[in-house]
Amino acid sequence: YLSADEIRAINELIDGIERDTGAEIAVVVVPSLRDDIFSTAQELFDRWKIGKEGVDNGLLIIADIGGHQFRTHTGYGMEGLFTDAMLSYLQESLVIPGFKEGRYGESLIGYLETIGSMLRDPAVQGEVSSSADKYARKAAFRENAVGFFVFANAGIAIDLLGLVLLVQSVSNANKTA
């Protein structure tokens, strides 16, 4: 579906975007998928660990040519900028028309150029950083909340044990009296 020159251009775009912005992008083009595109995208995204740890700034672009499906799967750190509505608009305007004409590589290159331009925009970088910060705070809260609940439950167990021992000692004192 892609020529050697198109693959090279896509890889250069991806490398340039990562070098300039830190965002990690993977592109997958397949003849057809066994599963639905969302499940496949999620599985690949998780398996390949696309995006920097703690920032989750990854994008997975997947095209199922035979199934006429296209998806851009985002890490949490990219969701503030690349909302479902924004991605849908970009895909419908930049990718789908070319795909319908069999211009897969050209369409993907144009899409990646637009994504790269957006990510390099200083205002957009602030939005991505803000989204990444929100993601990091949520992840830290979840970790702290789990620790708190474990600690709180341990405290409750100790309190219950103390109560049981107190009741037993009172009961024993009553028996001897």
Side-chain angles (χ1 to χ4, degrees), residues 1-66:
Y1 298 105
L2 305 174
S3 71
D5 288 339
E6 290 169 334
I7 293 169
R8 190 173 18 268
I10 288 168
N11 286 328
E12 287 173 4
L13 283 166
I14 290 169
D15 291 343
I17 292 168
E18 183 174 5
R19 183 182 56 251
D20 296 345
T21 70
E24 293 182 0
I25 300 174
V27 177
V28 177
V29 178
V30 295
S32 65
L33 295 171
R34 280 180 278 160
D35 295 324
D36 67 286
I37 198 164
F38 180 85
S39 298
T40 302
Q42 185 65 53
E43 180 184 333
L44 288 175
F45 198 89
D46 292 343
R47 184 182 315 154
W48 293 347
K49 298 180 184 343
I50 302 167
K52 306 274 189 292
E53 187 172 343
V55 183
D56 208 13
N57 61 343
L59 293 172
L60 170 63
I61 299 167
I62 184 167
D64 170 3
I65 303 301

Side-chain angles (χ1 to χ4, degrees), residues 103-148:
R103 296 182 290 113
Y104 307 111
E106 180 184 326
S107 299
L108 287 168
I109 290 167
Y111 188 54
L112 285 166
E113 287 172 341
T114 300
I115 287 171
S117 294
M118 292 174 72
L119 288 171
R120 287 179 179 103
D121 182 319
V124 170
Q125 288 176 350
E127 177 63 35
V128 171
S129 294
S130 173
S131 292
D133 290 344
K134 287 177 191 172
Y135 169 73
R137 284 193 303 272
K138 284 181 184 177
F141 173 78
R142 282 191 295 270
E143 288 176 18
N144 290 336
V146 168
F148 171 77

